[in-house]
Amino acid sequence: CALPIYIERTLDQIEDMLDRGDLRSAKTWCSRVLRQDANSIRGLYLHGVVSAMSGDPRAAERSWSGALLLDSSQVDIARSLAQLYSQEGRVDEACRLYSDIAVRSPGEASAFFYLANCLLQAHDIQGAETNYLKSIELAGRDQNVVVAHNNLGNLYSGKGLHDLAILQFEQALVVNPSYTDALYNLGNEYVKKDRFRDSVTAYQKAENLGHKSASTAIMIAQQRMCDWSQAERSHALLTKMASRIAKLKTLPEIQPFQTTFWGVFNGPSALAIANRYADAETAKASSYGLPLSPFSPAAAPSHLPLRSNGRLRVGFLHPDFDDSQIAPHVADMMHAWSQGRNIETVFFTSCPSNEKDNFPVIRQVASEVICLNRLEQESNSTGRIWDSFLAASVHVLVDLKGWGSANRQDILSLRPAPLQVLWFDYPGTSGASYMNHFITDSISVAPDQEAPYFAEKMLYLPSTYFVNYHKTVWTRQRLLNEETIIPKNDAEKSVLETLQLQQRNGYFILADRNTMQKIDSHTVTVWANVMRRSPDCVLWLMGKPADAVDNIRNEFLSRGIAANRLLFTESLSRFNHQRAIGMFVDLYVDTVSYNGHSSAVDVLWEGVPLVTLSADRMASRVAGAFLDTLGAGELRTFSFREYESVISDFLCTSSTPC
């Protein structure tokens, strides 16, 4: 009779040892208890806790599984084992346990909350949504309901339901106004809705409460809405970040693609940031528990033979190709490859439910299209995606996205192909050992100056790396309708009427149709200087986002340029936009910190002169490579003074055809 009392007192002491962090003593006494009573459920539970805290997950699994065999109703033990499975990527096993807990505890909000988290990890979006809503219904106003609202908001955001996401983050903040994750996520959703002022307000509240990423988010939002009121503060903060990258033990707040916009991140710091993120993606992918690739460093060296038809298989990876500006360029190149060459092309992308102009073209020219999003939805895991890459057996895999949004660096880190190449849509290094080559040209990435700060080996093309499709597509369309533009809707009609009016009134039309976030204060100063000296010119800019339009208008006003000399319009359909540039624009003035890439190609194919400034990063040198290829290097400048001078020369001789 005394033994159970002795064991319970010992278990109480073990809990005290755990509270003090004395793992060695706790482990010793747990073993003694289990020698006395191998079926002690509490003893098995605590032994599992000690094992997990000591870094022995297998011992923890044995103890907790043993306890559940003795009594399957032990909810806390089941939850601990489920958490272990979830951390190890054993999502199906974890979800089964969480589901059983929810059945046993139908009135407990936390049971549905943890099940929802697990289902979200398993990519079961519908199941996660259902269980988050159930947990919110049961929880009242406790902390779990705050996190449930927040997680549900993230779920809706991932589905593109940004209004519903905003509602969930706002509900979380009703319960807990100081919940920094919800404030930060709310700011992110406002950005996606182009509500930049609201996003900055949300980020600033999160920053004041100590959110570590809020300061960076504020700078990015201000950049995207052309708010330069805090430019000096931002520059000082970014400079400090760049200088400390090598010393950081965590992921930098600045992501790799953001370094392409800010000049303070020079070659070494940009490479260091990309290195860190590539390592993180490699670690994440290793937790998936997927079969080893024959081309991974851990496997024996392997070479993929040609198929029986003797054709080389080239894969292209771009997760959101249907919305990409580069889509028609790549599609035309793939079409050329398919004409009389021993090459098969495989496209890995997300297949939209309603295919737009780009996607049918890909289906026509690709040998095979693999829909990554549908595979993931069908299987609720990354496993099917990985299997599809291995089954495709491509000899060369070309990543067109780099560190852009929705990238699949995790899959690339597993090395699905023997040769992996970064090209086209991302003007920077991957920082990854799993990428072999980077395709570029010697203007965009100078061999001596920039190339040493790329993780990949350079493959230099003789002119520009940026292929385009104008020769085939634009030529064919212009033969059908050379000198007219047929507006597709009233909005397009209004844009064209505005441009026609300016032309009839004899104005010299400058244009920059890059996204607003590419514009900086130094460039606006140059444009305003030129416009003050040439009162008969106007500047045609993008008409969104609204916050950026307001700020840009005010920046020009502060430099003496009236609002009526700025033409802010929405974008036209692709072909009409191209033709409008050719018919109405006299001179295209490129952005400096990040040149036009696809947009610059469009301009030059219309025969419109373009003036650019080449800075010290690839993103700011691409248009210069276009001009050099065309033999128009005199339009490529290297300082703001030279940039302004060349633009002024055009305006001063505007009566002379260029």
Side-chain angles (χ1 to χ4, degrees):
C1 294
L3 182 60
I5 297 173
Y6 163 76
I7 288 176
E8 288 302 311
R9 287 177 178 172
T10 303
L11 292 172
D12 290 341
Q13 292 172 351
I14 291 172
E15 289 187 345
D16 290 339
M17 295 172 195
L18 288 173
D19 289 340
R20 297 195 304 270
D22 187 358
L23 295 181
R24 179 178 295 181
S25 298
K27 187 174 183 178
T28 299
W29 282 99
C30 274
S31 298
R32 290 181 182 179
V33 166
L34 292 175
R35 282 198 296 269
Q36 294 288 335
D37 182 3
N39 293 329
S40 168
I41 292 175
R42 188 180 172 200
L44 287 167
Y45 170 66
L46 288 175
H47 187 266
V49 172
V50 172
S51 299
M53 293 176 68
S54 302
D56 190 352
R58 297 288 67 79
E61 180 182 5
R62 288 193 296 270
S63 295
W64 290 333
S65 296
L68 291 174
L69 285 174
L70 294 168
D71 184 357
S72 61
S73 67
Q74 294 290 324
V75 170
D76 288 340
I77 299 176
R79 184 176 292 123
S80 297
L81 184 57
Q83 288 172 345
L84 174 65
Y85 288 154
S86 180
Q87 291 166 1
E88 293 185 333
R90 298 160 64 180
V91 181
D92 291 341
E93 295 168 274
C95 289
R96 279 196 295 272
L97 281 170
Y98 281 127
S99 181
D100 184 61
I101 294 169
V103 170
R104 294 178 181 278
S105 310
E108 186 180 336
S110 63
F112 295 94
F113 171 75
Y114 288 116
L115 175 58
N117 288 346
C118 186
L119 292 171
L120 188 61
Q121 187 180 358
H123 304 288
D124 182 353
I125 304 302
Q126 184 61 49
E129 179 181 0
T130 299
N131 283 280
Y132 278 133
L133 290 171
K134 182 68 174 177
S135 72
I136 289 169
E137 177 187 337
L138 294 170
R141 295 178 66 86
D142 69 8
Q143 182 59 28
N144 270 353
V145 77
V146 176
V147 181
H149 278 301
N150 184 67
N151 290 358
L152 187 55
N154 287 329
L155 184 152
Y156 286 141
S157 178
K159 294 171 68 174
L161 303 173
H162 301 300
D163 290 330
L164 288 177
I166 288 172
L167 179 62
Q168 291 301 322
F169 296 134
E170 289 175 342
Q171 288 294 320
L173 292 168
V174 168
V175 180
N176 181 1
S178 299
Y179 188 48
T180 57
D181 282 354
L183 283 165
Y184 181 78
N185 291 333
L186 180 61
N188 291 343
E189 292 308 298
Y190 285 148
V191 166
K192 293 168 186 174
K193 298 289 289 185
D194 284 351
R195 295 169 56 181
F196 292 103
R197 287 193 174 89
D198 291 336
S199 75
V200 169
T201 299
Y203 290 142
Q204 285 173 338
K205 290 179 180 178
E207 181 185 37
N208 292 337
L209 291 167
H211 195 288
K212 65 177 184 178
S213 299
S215 298
T216 304
I218 291 169
M219 289 187 290
I220 294 169
Q222 288 174 331
Q223 176 194 28
R224 293 188 64 180
M225 68 172 176
C226 303
D227 177 0
W228 305 313
S229 59
Q230 302 296 315
E232 290 185 7
R233 174 182 179 271
S234 296
H235 186 269
L237 183 58
L238 290 169
T239 302
K240 183 178 180 180
M241 286 182 182
S243 67
R244 297 175 59 190
I245 294 299
K247 300 177 183 177
L248 287 178
K249 296 182 179 180
T250 57
L251 273 183
E253 294 176 28
I254 295 292
Q255 297 182 37
F257 74 90
Q258 291 160 352
T259 65
T260 63
F261 280 94
W262 283 311
V264 298
F265 294 100
N266 55 17
S269 58
L271 175 59
I273 291 170
N275 283 154
R276 295 292 187 86
Y277 275 85
D279 289 345
E281 290 296 315
T282 301
K284 181 175 75 173
S286 67
S287 71
Y288 294 164
L290 298 173
L292 195 66
S293 163
F295 314 112
S296 73
S302 177
H303 298 281
L304 189 64
L306 296 177
R307 291 192 173 183
S308 58
N309 61 11
R311 305 191 82 183
L312 180 73
R313 286 172 65 81
V314 180
F316 292 89
L317 172 60
H318 195 297
D320 54 356
F321 195 75
D322 200 45
D323 286 325
S324 171
Q325 285 191 323
I326 72 165
H329 302 300
V330 175
D332 194 58
M333 181 196 68
M334 292 167 67
H335 175 71
W337 277 8
S338 66
Q339 306 301 304
R341 297 195 183 192
N342 288 325
I343 298 176
E344 294 177 346
T345 53
V346 182
F347 221 91
F348 301 91
T349 188
S350 292
C351 301
S353 54
N354 297 312
E355 296 181 0
K356 302 174 186 175
D357 294 338
N358 292 334
F359 212 82
V361 176
I362 289 297
R363 287 207 181 276
Q364 290 172 13
V365 300
S367 308
E368 185 179 356
V369 176
I370 295 175
C371 302
L372 303 180
N373 56 327
R374 294 176 188 171
L375 289 173
E376 201 157 33
Q377 290 163 5
E378 290 168 6
S379 63
N380 292 330
S381 74
T382 309
R384 283 285 302 280
I385 290 179
W386 179 237
D387 291 343
S388 73
F389 274 91
L390 294 182
S393 299
V394 297
H395 302 91
V396 181
L397 180 58
V398 182
D399 177 27
L400 298 170
K401 193 65 174 177
W403 287 107
S405 61
N407 68 76
R408 291 313 303 251
Q409 292 292 323
D410 57 337
I411 293 292
L412 289 165
S413 74
L414 295 170
R415 289 188 180 269
L419 190 65
Q420 300 188 163
V421 180
L422 181 57
W423 176 54
F424 214 156
D425 205 19
Y426 184 72
T429 181
S430 67
S433 61
Y434 50 79
M435 297 303 295
N436 303 97
H437 294 287
F438 188 95
I439 298 177
T440 186
D441 58 71
S442 59
I443 299 294
S444 299
V445 179
D448 296 331
Q449 296 171 344
E450 287 98 36
Y453 303 111
F454 278 69
E456 308 82 1
K457 293 180 180 178
M458 295 290 113
L459 292 178
Y460 285 106
L461 296 184
S463 52
T464 173
Y465 76 94
F466 203 98
V467 301
N468 66 85
Y469 71 132
H470 295 81
K471 186 174 181 179
T472 53
V473 178
W474 291 135
T475 301
R476 184 169 62 249
Q477 292 190 7
R478 289 172 66 181
L479 284 173
L480 297 175
N481 200 347
E482 173 69 34
E483 293 300 334
T484 61
I485 303 177
I486 302 174
K488 292 192 172 184
N489 49 49
D490 289 342
E492 287 202 353
K493 182 179 179 182
S494 175
V495 172
L496 295 172
E497 288 174 347
T498 298
L499 294 170
Q500 288 166 349
L501 178 62
Q502 301 300 320
Q503 193 176 64
R504 281 199 304 269
N505 289 338
Y507 284 103
F508 188 98
I509 300 179
L510 299 169
D512 179 86
R513 300 294 289 169
N514 289 314
T515 57
M516 288 289 199
Q517 64 179 330
K518 293 183 179 182
I519 301 175
D520 59 64
S521 61
H522 298 296
T523 305
V524 167
T525 296
V526 169
W527 293 345
N529 290 345
V530 169
M531 293 175 74
R532 278 199 309 273
R533 292 193 294 268
S534 304
D536 291 334
C537 76
V538 293
L539 176 61
W540 181 28
L541 298 168
M542 292 294 288
K544 63 178 184 181
D547 290 341
V549 170
D550 290 343
N551 286 330
I552 287 290
R553 186 181 287 116
N554 289 333
E555 290 290 338
F556 273 97
L557 281 172
S558 70
R559 292 164 172 81
I561 304 301
N564 62 1
R565 296 183 63 191
L566 302 173
L567 312 177
F568 293 103
T569 73
E570 297 292 324
S571 229
L572 302 165
S573 59
R574 189 170 181 87
F575 179 65
N576 283 351
H577 188 261
Q578 168 105 11
R579 291 302 299 125
I581 289 173
M583 292 177 65
F584 299 111
V585 174
D586 297 294
L587 179 65
Y588 195 89
V589 286
D590 195 18
T591 44
V592 174
S593 62
Y594 197 119
N595 291 169
H597 297 177
S598 292
S599 58
V601 169
D602 292 347
V603 169
L604 294 171
W605 265 93
E606 284 295 326
V608 175
L610 176 148
V611 180
T612 190
L613 194 163
S614 293
D616 57 355
R617 301 179 321 285
M618 181 179 177
S620 64
R621 299 171 65 88
V622 172
F626 299 162
L627 294 172
D628 190 74
T629 299
L630 293 172
E634 68 276 10
L635 300 180
R636 179 185 177 212
T637 65
F638 298 92
S639 68
F640 279 105
R641 177 177 294 181
E642 185 184 7
Y643 178 63
E644 181 175 333
S645 175
V646 172
I647 296 171
S648 296
D649 288 346
F650 266 98
L651 286 164
C652 292
T653 60
S654 59
S655 59
T656 303
C658 300

